[in-house]
Amino acid sequence: VTYAADWSEYHHTDGGWYHMDALWASDAIDMVGIDAYFPLSDAVQVDYDVDRIKAGWTSGEGYDFYYTDPERTTTASLDAPYAWKNIAWWWSHTHTNPDASVTAWVPESKPIWFTEYGFASVDGCANEPNVFVDSSASSSAYPRFSRGRIDFMAQRVAIAATESQWSGDAMVPQRFLWTWDARPFPYWPDLRSVWADGGNWVTGHWVQGKLGASHVAPAVEQLAVLAGLSAASIDTSRLQMMLDGFVIHQRVSARAAIEQLMQGFFFHIKESGEGLVALPRDSVIAVTADVVECAPMQVAGGQEAAYEMARSEDLVLPDKIEVQYLDRLQSYATVVEAASRGTQAVTETETLRLSLVIADAHARAIADNRLAERWAERSSITLQLPMRYAALEVGDLLEFTTTNATHRIRVRQVQIGRPGMVRIKGTVDIAETWDGYLPPTNGSDGSVIAPPSETQFEVLDIPAFPSDTQDALTLRFAACGISTGWTGATILRELDTDDAILTSIDKAAVMGTCLTVLASGTSDVFDRVHTVDVVLLGAATLTSASEINVLNGANVALLGDELIQFVNAEALGGGVYRLSALLRGRLGTEHAMGSHVEGERFVLIDSAIVPLVVTPSNIGQSWTLRASTFGTSLDEGTERTLTVTGESLRPLSPVHLSATLESSGDITIQWKRRARIDSGWRNEVDIPLMEQSEAYDVEVLDGADVVRTVRATTTKTVYASADITTDFGSAPSTLSLRIYQISSLAGRGNVADETVTVG
């Protein structure tokens, strides 16, 4: 008999009272029970280090320190009697309450059982083992610092670390892992028409269907041993990918079998010292070299140069890569995912046949990266470097900087060349297009898989966000499916020769169109007069927010070209919402308040919006963009044309325009500038300039005609009396002005267009 105490309650209260000791000391209780969901780490997960997670049982939060504030920014040291994660001290010592009374607990009198412990199968699961993802629960959450990724390996490593810490420990002789479901796997979670919670399996604490999978590392090691190598001669410790299945159904060499794994899981094998080492592609650290270190070498044509670059014919390269693989969700049938460039001159298709059980998203990643890799490798480079580069090995990365570019090179050949020099040949590498994330196989709903949904997307060329970099031209992308079955899309820019993949989006944005026209309003206070009705795509929803949360940044949306915030989102049915209590003209978009039309775009600005930084040289260019839904060819999809205006670099319109008639007959025109970023009000200092130099164009109008333009370098200028006489005959009582701040990167900013009284 025991009681399963939460990990935060078994020990003591915040005041240091050991209230539960009377229970633990009772003759009716056989052991101390703890639901042991202690936090074991506190950072973004960057690896799968068992020792690091294991160390979290005897260090960190709850052992060495605690956080003193809800925001978890300040820590204070924690003495052993109050360290709720220091199970050993609590178990082996008497306990004294704040009133100096000693509790009934007898040290080491009873064993401790972990009545529950476990981890969600997401990255960062050891940060908060007690949280879980469940869209139907209000407490649904990812652990702190999680990137929201499905990660069976992270769960496995956390369990292994816990078992390593407590296995054979007399203090904790029993541990019960949460959770093994009594329902039959894989019917649960796949048959969601029977069990509604099946969708939670992929991120939840369940272990069936996850712990049974193998690893890539032992598969590579076993194949190497079968080929005659010793296990000690190949280092696979850095291969931390899970392997759902690998079928070798015909006679092949060990090398060919390992190459299938290399192609499917993006790793290299290279010689190192006396053996071989397997390295994930994203883990190889590049060695840097500069063109000034190169020794001149003879290149084609008999000329001497610091290096030689060559490029193979496009016609010998594939236009399309098809990946054949085994899909568990379709009874392990062989299915195909493909990636295509859609070029006209090249029509070759290359097929990659993998006997691997993988997810469809994993297969798409293989196809996309294999195609990009094949085309990148058409460019090769040869150079001669000093002997200090002799340690470079085949498979290493070299970042080679020339006068005007940096080339990322995968080393393919290393030779000792002329005395004191190393001759290196390599191909262009595309590792930066992939971040190492390979999602595991998900459950299905047991129904026929629908074809991928077409993608609806928007390009947001809008003012800079507070988090943006000052001189960066940032575009933003939003996408969602127009029907069910949408899992994401690749955004490409169509070029005359090669299409460029700009970004990928795997989270659906809340998007739609406006059913009514939002009238012009004020940007200074909440607009409680005007409303707008919007209809959303798919099953997206909107929620209301308190005014204080809106003032702190909640419920931001793009309506046409105006950024707004809204307090109330009233559901009218059929995906239609009425927005009211609005903050208008956010981030300097007041100029768009009077330009709304029926049917214009609506995009909620949240974490689904993907930023892309491009160079200012793109301003003025016309782009043709294509959104290709995951699971379809890259040469298919929704197209959109964009002229880049560079709104994130354009200065905001000046404000507080005034005109003063001086005794000399001159008129002094003044205004205040605004900042695109970091424009908060601080005492005793002005807002930052944001531009390389301060400059303004001031236009004076007579009706619709511009009669004078003045360039100013401060926030005021003098309209000379002689010019006034020329333009108007005498000093007018009002002046119609247009004032632009000038950016060296984006040109004229947004205009302040105002008629002011000459005072």
Side-chain angles (χ1 to χ4, degrees):
V1 176
T2 189
Y3 164 71
D6 184 70
W7 54 278
S8 60
E9 70 169 334
Y10 84 96
H11 191 280
H12 67 279
T13 66
D14 289 341
W17 293 88
Y18 293 89
H19 288 310
M20 296 197 67
D21 275 15
L23 175 67
W24 301 135
S26 170
D27 291 339
I29 295 296
D30 297 303
M31 70 287 295
V32 176
I34 305 175
D35 286 352
Y37 295 101
F38 296 94
L40 305 180
S41 55
D42 194 22
V44 176
Q45 176 185 305
V46 296
D47 55 25
Y48 299 101
D49 190 339
V50 171
D51 292 336
R52 178 177 59 83
I53 304 299
K54 179 180 177 181
W57 280 102
T58 54
S59 64
E61 181 187 3
Y63 198 96
D64 302 314
F65 65 85
Y66 67 99
Y67 288 100
T68 61
D69 60 325
E71 293 76 23
R72 299 171 61 85
T73 59
T74 306
T75 63
S77 59
L78 198 58
D79 294 333
Y82 304 105
W84 36 265
K85 201 163 62 175
N86 194 338
I87 303 170
W89 192 98
W90 180 90
W91 184 67
S92 60
H93 287 74
T94 58
H95 304 154
T96 303
N97 285 315
D99 64 356
S101 63
V102 178
T103 73
W105 170 253
V106 177
E108 303 183 8
S109 57
K110 296 176 182 179
I112 295 174
W113 284 15
F114 287 171
T115 45
E116 282 184 26
Y117 85 91
F119 304 88
S121 52
V122 298
D123 68 303
C125 60
N127 295 340
E128 283 186 287
N130 59 310
V131 302
F132 58 93
V133 179
D134 182 351
S135 58
S136 66
S138 59
S139 56
S140 174
Y142 283 94
R144 283 184 294 271
F145 303 114
S146 170
R147 290 172 289 176
R149 292 179 165 184
I150 303 165
D151 199 330
F152 295 174
M153 180 64 80
Q155 179 189 44
R156 178 179 291 203
V157 166
I159 293 170
T162 300
E163 287 300 310
S164 176
Q165 172 65 27
W166 298 113
S167 181
D169 191 298
M171 179 180 67
V172 188
Q174 298 285 351
R175 298 165 303 283
F176 297 87
L177 177 62
W178 182 268
T179 178
W180 183 277
D181 205 291
R183 291 171 290 186
F185 183 87
Y187 298 100
W188 181 88
D190 284 358
L191 297 182
R192 296 181 201 170
S193 59
V194 178
W195 293 291
D197 63 344
N200 297 331
W201 169 83
V202 70
T203 56
H205 286 64
W206 290 279
V207 295
Q208 70 263 51
K210 301 173 184 177
L211 296 189
S214 183
H215 290 182
V216 171
V220 172
E221 185 176 310
Q222 184 177 357
L223 288 167
V225 170
L226 289 173
L229 297 176
S230 67
S233 66
I234 181 166
D235 178 4
T236 61
S237 60
R238 277 173 275 194
L239 299 184
Q240 298 175 322
M241 312 87 159
M242 297 184 74
L243 180 62
D244 287 335
F246 181 26
V247 179
I248 301 177
H249 53 80
Q250 60 185 5
R251 180 182 292 272
V252 295
S253 67
R255 180 189 183 98
I258 291 175
E259 283 178 345
Q260 281 209 48
L261 294 169
M262 292 170 62
Q263 292 167 336
F265 292 93
F266 305 101
F267 65 92
H268 300 277
I269 293 181
K270 68 172 190 174
E271 293 185 36
S272 182
E274 298 298 320
L276 302 175
V277 61
L279 294 170
R281 193 170 74 185
D282 64 319
S283 71
V284 180
I285 299 174
V287 176
T288 59
D290 194 276
V291 68
V292 298
E293 302 177 84
C294 292
M297 55 183 287
Q298 195 171 60
V299 299
Q303 303 295 317
E304 277 200 348
Y307 61 93
E308 181 178 28
M309 293 197 72
R311 178 167 166 167
S312 62
E313 290 286 342
D314 290 359
L315 293 177
V316 303
L317 296 170
D319 174 68
K320 185 177 183 180
I321 297 283
E322 292 184 346
V323 176
Q324 296 182 3
Y325 65 101
L326 305 178
D327 189 345
R328 178 179 70 84
L329 303 183
Q330 298 191 47
S331 300
Y332 299 96
T334 299
V335 294
V336 177
E337 286 285 345
S340 174
R341 294 174 58 84
T343 58
Q344 298 298 318
V346 182
T347 58
E348 293 295 320
T349 297
E350 181 179 298
T351 301
L352 195 60
R353 294 177 174 85
L354 302 178
S355 299
L356 299 173
V357 180
I358 54 178
D360 53 357
H362 184 159
R364 283 195 298 271
I366 295 171
D368 289 341
N369 282 270
R370 179 60 178 165
L371 184 61
E373 185 178 67
R374 292 282 279 116
W375 279 78
E377 288 178 347
R378 64 181 166 167
S379 298
S380 64
I381 188 167
T382 305
L383 60 156
Q384 291 189 141
L385 292 170
M387 283 299 293
R388 68 188 187 90
Y389 291 95
L392 282 171
E393 298 174 329
V394 173
D396 285 345
L397 283 176
L398 179 68
E399 285 193 349
F400 177 56
T401 302
T402 62
T403 304
N404 54 12
T406 297
H407 304 278
R408 185 181 175 95
I409 303 165
R410 179 73 61 178
V411 175
R412 302 299 183 189
Q413 190 178 85
V414 180
Q415 296 176 320
I416 303 300
R418 53 184 285 190
M421 302 302 295
V422 179
R423 189 180 183 90
I424 294 169
K425 185 172 183 179
T427 55
V428 173
D429 185 77
I430 51 90
E432 66 273 11
T433 65
W434 177 72
D435 67 356
Y437 176 52
L438 295 174
T441 302
N442 298 350
S444 72
D445 60 3
S447 60
V448 176
I449 298 175
S453 165
E454 185 179 344
T455 296
Q456 172 72 22
F457 78 107
E458 291 286 347
V459 187
L460 313 184
D461 191 352
I462 58 179
F465 286 7
S467 58
D468 287 351
T469 303
Q470 176 174 326
D471 294 330
L473 171 50
T474 305
L475 302 175
R476 290 179 157 81
F477 294 84
C480 68
I482 63 174
S483 61
T484 58
W486 187 85
T487 58
T490 300
I491 309 296
L492 304 96
R493 179 186 173 191
E494 294 186 2
L495 303 173
D496 290 337
T497 54
D498 303 336
D499 289 350
I501 296 178
L502 297 180
T503 189
S504 292
I505 302 175
D506 57 11
K507 184 176 182 181
V510 177
M511 301 169 57
T513 55
C514 298
L515 298 178
T516 59
V517 177
L518 178 59
S520 185
T522 177
S523 62
D524 301 324
V525 295
F526 277 102
D527 183 346
R528 304 184 190 278
V529 175
H530 303 111
T531 65
V532 62
D533 293 351
V534 299
V535 59
L536 304 182
L537 287 170
T541 60
L542 295 173
T543 58
S544 300
S546 66
E547 288 190 6
I548 188 64
N549 283 341
V550 169
L551 291 171
N552 284 328
N555 281 358
V556 182
L558 183 66
L559 207 68
D561 291 324
E562 181 190 356
L563 284 164
I564 68 168
Q565 290 179 265
F566 56 92
V567 173
N568 303 318
E570 179 188 358
L572 303 180
V576 178
Y577 288 81
R578 177 162 295 160
L579 309 182
S580 60
L582 310 175
L583 286 177
R584 306 287 302 275
R586 311 305 283 166
L587 297 182
T589 58
E590 305 94 338
H591 59 277
M593 288 196 301
S595 61
H596 293 292
V597 295
E598 185 178 336
E600 66 186 352
R601 64 183 175 179
F602 171 86
V603 181
L604 186 71
I605 307 298
D606 61 8
S607 60
I609 308 301
V610 176
L612 175 71
V613 175
V614 299
T615 61
S617 62
N618 288 284
I619 293 176
Q621 292 185 0
S622 179
W623 287 8
T624 298
L625 303 174
R626 183 169 66 253
S628 296
T629 302
F630 289 167
T632 64
S633 173
L634 288 180
D635 58 357
E636 301 174 354
T638 309
E639 293 191 354
R640 185 176 297 279
T641 300
L642 163 75
T643 298
V644 180
T645 60
E647 289 297 318
S648 68
L649 290 177
R650 294 186 69 192
L652 305 188
S653 59
V655 294
H656 304 309
L657 280 60
S658 67
T660 304
L661 180 63
E662 309 292 351
S663 58
S664 62
D666 298 342
I667 295 178
T668 300
I669 302 170
Q670 299 187 78
W671 59 89
K672 295 289 185 183
R673 60 177 165 82
R674 295 192 287 172
R676 294 179 284 111
I677 300 172
D678 194 24
S679 59
W681 189 358
R682 298 180 178 87
N683 291 335
E684 312 302 331
V685 295
D686 201 355
I687 61 171
L689 177 61
M690 304 301 296
E691 312 303 332
Q692 295 179 5
S693 60
E694 189 166 14
Y696 305 88
D697 277 348
V698 181
E699 294 181 344
V700 181
L701 287 82
D702 183 4
D705 299 326
V706 176
V707 296
R708 189 161 301 277
T709 300
V710 179
R711 175 63 61 94
T713 57
T714 65
T715 55
K716 72 176 181 179
T717 190
V718 174
Y719 188 13
S721 59
D723 294 335
I724 296 171
T725 301
T726 300
D727 299 338
F728 294 101
S730 61
S733 59
T734 61
L735 272 182
S736 294
L737 301 171
R738 292 180 187 154
I739 303 179
Y740 311 81
Q741 188 175 356
I742 308 300
S743 164
S744 62
L745 296 175
R748 280 185 170 185
N750 287 306
V751 62
D753 190 348
E754 191 173 330
T755 298
V756 298
T757 300
V758 179

mmCIF file of all heavy atoms in Angstrom, residues 248-266:
data_model
loop_
_atom_site.group_PDB
_atom_site.id
_atom_site.type_symbol
_atom_site.label_atom_id
_atom_site.label_comp_id
_atom_site.label_asym_id
_atom_site.label_seq_id
_atom_site.Cartn_x
_atom_site.Cartn_y
_atom_site.Cartn_z
ATOM 1 N N ILE A 248 16.357 -6.135 -46.307
ATOM 2 C CA ILE A 248 17.328 -6.548 -47.322
ATOM 3 C C ILE A 248 16.778 -7.829 -47.938
ATOM 4 O O ILE A 248 16.863 -8.909 -47.347
ATOM 5 C CB ILE A 248 18.721 -6.769 -46.713
ATOM 6 C CG1 ILE A 248 19.206 -5.471 -46.042
ATOM 7 C CG2 ILE A 248 19.714 -7.218 -47.771
ATOM 8 C CD1 ILE A 248 20.538 -5.599 -45.343
ATOM 9 N N HIS A 249 16.180 -7.721 -49.114
ATOM 10 C CA HIS A 249 15.438 -8.837 -49.698
ATOM 11 C C HIS A 249 16.171 -9.493 -50.866
ATOM 12 O O HIS A 249 15.614 -10.358 -51.541
ATOM 13 C CB HIS A 249 14.059 -8.355 -50.166
ATOM 14 C CG HIS A 249 14.109 -7.163 -51.075
ATOM 15 N ND1 HIS A 249 14.404 -7.260 -52.404
ATOM 16 C CD2 HIS A 249 13.925 -5.848 -50.804
ATOM 17 C CE1 HIS A 249 14.377 -6.057 -52.938
ATOM 18 N NE2 HIS A 249 14.094 -5.175 -51.997
ATOM 19 N N GLN A 250 17.393 -9.064 -51.120
ATOM 20 C CA GLN A 250 18.167 -9.700 -52.176
ATOM 21 C C GLN A 250 19.650 -9.603 -51.828
ATOM 22 O O GLN A 250 20.027 -8.871 -50.917
ATOM 23 C CB GLN A 250 17.900 -9.019 -53.516
ATOM 24 C CG GLN A 250 18.260 -7.541 -53.549
ATOM 25 C CD GLN A 250 17.864 -6.880 -54.863
ATOM 26 O OE1 GLN A 250 17.240 -7.495 -55.710
ATOM 27 N NE2 GLN A 250 18.230 -5.627 -55.033
ATOM 28 N N ARG A 251 20.467 -10.362 -52.541
ATOM 29 C CA ARG A 251 21.896 -10.365 -52.263
ATOM 30 C C ARG A 251 22.501 -9.028 -52.700
ATOM 31 O O ARG A 251 22.485 -8.668 -53.876
ATOM 32 C CB ARG A 251 22.586 -11.512 -53.003
ATOM 33 C CG ARG A 251 24.099 -11.594 -52.755
ATOM 34 C CD ARG A 251 24.704 -12.715 -53.569
ATOM 35 N NE ARG A 251 24.262 -14.008 -53.079
ATOM 36 C CZ ARG A 251 24.883 -14.684 -52.114
ATOM 37 N NH1 ARG A 251 25.962 -14.178 -51.544
ATOM 38 N NH2 ARG A 251 24.435 -15.858 -51.728
ATOM 39 N N VAL A 252 23.035 -8.283 -51.733
ATOM 40 C CA VAL A 252 23.725 -7.023 -52.006
ATOM 41 C C VAL A 252 24.979 -6.983 -51.148
ATOM 42 O O VAL A 252 25.100 -7.702 -50.143
ATOM 43 C CB VAL A 252 22.845 -5.790 -51.681
ATOM 44 C CG1 VAL A 252 21.634 -5.725 -52.595
ATOM 45 C CG2 VAL A 252 22.424 -5.784 -50.221
ATOM 46 N N SER A 253 25.904 -6.143 -51.519
ATOM 47 C CA SER A 253 27.104 -5.979 -50.705
ATOM 48 C C SER A 253 26.778 -5.178 -49.461
ATOM 49 O O SER A 253 25.790 -4.430 -49.406
ATOM 50 C CB SER A 253 28.187 -5.258 -51.507
ATOM 51 O OG SER A 253 27.802 -3.915 -51.776
ATOM 52 N N ALA A 254 27.613 -5.347 -48.434
ATOM 53 C CA ALA A 254 27.434 -4.571 -47.207
ATOM 54 C C ALA A 254 27.542 -3.085 -47.508
ATOM 55 O O ALA A 254 26.816 -2.257 -46.934
ATOM 56 C CB ALA A 254 28.468 -4.994 -46.165
ATOM 57 N N ARG A 255 28.438 -2.731 -48.420
ATOM 58 C CA ARG A 255 28.600 -1.326 -48.791
ATOM 59 C C ARG A 255 27.306 -0.770 -49.376
ATOM 60 O O ARG A 255 26.864 0.331 -49.015
ATOM 61 C CB ARG A 255 29.747 -1.178 -49.787
ATOM 62 C CG ARG A 255 29.995 0.262 -50.234
ATOM 63 C CD ARG A 255 30.997 0.325 -51.381
ATOM 64 N NE ARG A 255 31.256 1.703 -51.742
ATOM 65 C CZ ARG A 255 32.294 2.416 -51.334
ATOM 66 N NH1 ARG A 255 33.186 1.857 -50.519
ATOM 67 N NH2 ARG A 255 32.461 3.668 -51.716
ATOM 68 N N ALA A 256 26.669 -1.535 -50.280
ATOM 69 C CA ALA A 256 25.432 -1.071 -50.901
ATOM 70 C C ALA A 256 24.319 -0.917 -49.864
ATOM 71 O O ALA A 256 23.521 0.024 -49.933
ATOM 72 C CB ALA A 256 25.006 -2.034 -52.004
ATOM 73 N N ALA A 257 24.265 -1.832 -48.906
ATOM 74 C CA ALA A 257 23.242 -1.742 -47.863
ATOM 75 C C ALA A 257 23.475 -0.513 -46.991
ATOM 76 O O ALA A 257 22.536 0.223 -46.654
ATOM 77 C CB ALA A 257 23.249 -3.009 -47.016
ATOM 78 N N ILE A 258 24.737 -0.277 -46.623
ATOM 79 C CA ILE A 258 25.049 0.899 -45.803
ATOM 80 C C ILE A 258 24.766 2.178 -46.583
ATOM 81 O O ILE A 258 24.300 3.178 -46.015
ATOM 82 C CB ILE A 258 26.512 0.843 -45.324
ATOM 83 C CG1 ILE A 258 26.693 -0.299 -44.310
ATOM 84 C CG2 ILE A 258 26.938 2.164 -44.696
ATOM 85 C CD1 ILE A 258 28.127 -0.507 -43.869
ATOM 86 N N GLU A 259 25.022 2.170 -47.876
ATOM 87 C CA GLU A 259 24.760 3.362 -48.684
ATOM 88 C C GLU A 259 23.268 3.698 -48.708
ATOM 89 O O GLU A 259 22.889 4.873 -48.770
ATOM 90 C CB GLU A 259 25.286 3.160 -50.107
ATOM 91 C CG GLU A 259 26.803 3.305 -50.199
ATOM 92 C CD GLU A 259 27.326 3.069 -51.603
ATOM 93 O OE1 GLU A 259 26.557 2.514 -52.436
ATOM 94 O OE2 GLU A 259 28.485 3.419 -51.867
ATOM 95 N N GLN A 260 22.397 2.677 -48.655
ATOM 96 C CA GLN A 260 20.962 2.967 -48.544
ATOM 97 C C GLN A 260 20.668 3.739 -47.268
ATOM 98 O O GLN A 260 19.894 4.699 -47.264
ATOM 99 C CB GLN A 260 20.152 1.658 -48.558
ATOM 100 C CG GLN A 260 19.950 1.065 -49.934
ATOM 101 C CD GLN A 260 18.659 0.262 -50.008
ATOM 102 O OE1 GLN A 260 17.604 0.730 -49.587
ATOM 103 N NE2 GLN A 260 18.750 -0.942 -50.532
ATOM 104 N N LEU A 261 21.287 3.310 -46.176
ATOM 105 C CA LEU A 261 21.099 4.022 -44.912
ATOM 106 C C LEU A 261 21.675 5.432 -44.988
ATOM 107 O O LEU A 261 21.087 6.386 -44.452
ATOM 108 C CB LEU A 261 21.747 3.241 -43.764
ATOM 109 C CG LEU A 261 21.103 1.888 -43.452
ATOM 110 C CD1 LEU A 261 21.968 1.090 -42.487
ATOM 111 C CD2 LEU A 261 19.706 2.086 -42.863
ATOM 112 N N MET A 262 22.819 5.576 -45.646
ATOM 113 C CA MET A 262 23.426 6.894 -45.795
ATOM 114 C C MET A 262 22.511 7.830 -46.579
ATOM 115 O O MET A 262 22.336 9.000 -46.219
ATOM 116 C CB MET A 262 24.783 6.770 -46.494
ATOM 117 C CG MET A 262 25.859 6.080 -45.674
ATOM 118 S SD MET A 262 27.348 5.682 -46.627
ATOM 119 C CE MET A 262 27.897 7.308 -47.116
ATOM 120 N N GLN A 263 21.898 7.302 -47.652
ATOM 121 C CA GLN A 263 21.008 8.124 -48.459
ATOM 122 C C GLN A 263 19.725 8.461 -47.705
ATOM 123 O O GLN A 263 19.173 9.554 -47.858
ATOM 124 C CB GLN A 263 20.666 7.392 -49.762
ATOM 125 C CG GLN A 263 21.860 7.243 -50.696
ATOM 126 C CD GLN A 263 21.590 6.263 -51.821
ATOM 127 O OE1 GLN A 263 20.735 5.380 -51.711
ATOM 128 N NE2 GLN A 263 22.314 6.405 -52.924
ATOM 129 N N GLY A 264 19.266 7.531 -46.896
ATOM 130 C CA GLY A 264 18.009 7.745 -46.185
ATOM 131 C C GLY A 264 18.126 8.586 -44.940
ATOM 132 O O GLY A 264 17.146 9.198 -44.511
ATOM 133 N N PHE A 265 19.333 8.646 -44.343
ATOM 134 C CA PHE A 265 19.472 9.340 -43.059
ATOM 135 C C PHE A 265 20.565 10.401 -43.068
ATOM 136 O O PHE A 265 20.972 10.880 -42.009
ATOM 137 C CB PHE A 265 19.711 8.326 -41.939
ATOM 138 C CG PHE A 265 18.511 7.461 -41.665
ATOM 139 C CD1 PHE A 265 18.370 6.229 -42.285
ATOM 140 C CD2 PHE A 265 17.507 7.899 -40.825
ATOM 141 C CE1 PHE A 265 17.250 5.434 -42.055
ATOM 142 C CE2 PHE A 265 16.385 7.119 -40.583
ATOM 143 C CZ PHE A 265 16.252 5.879 -41.202
ATOM 144 N N PHE A 266 21.025 10.780 -44.257
ATOM 145 C CA PHE A 266 21.887 11.947 -44.423
ATOM 146 C C PHE A 266 23.139 11.898 -43.548
ATOM 147 O O PHE A 266 23.367 12.766 -42.701
ATOM 148 C CB PHE A 266 21.109 13.235 -44.127
ATOM 149 C CG PHE A 266 19.862 13.395 -44.934
ATOM 150 C CD1 PHE A 266 18.617 13.111 -44.392
ATOM 151 C CD2 PHE A 266 19.915 13.816 -46.252
ATOM 152 C CE1 PHE A 266 17.464 13.250 -45.136
ATOM 153 C CE2 PHE A 266 18.764 13.959 -47.005
ATOM 154 C CZ PHE A 266 17.545 13.674 -46.456
#
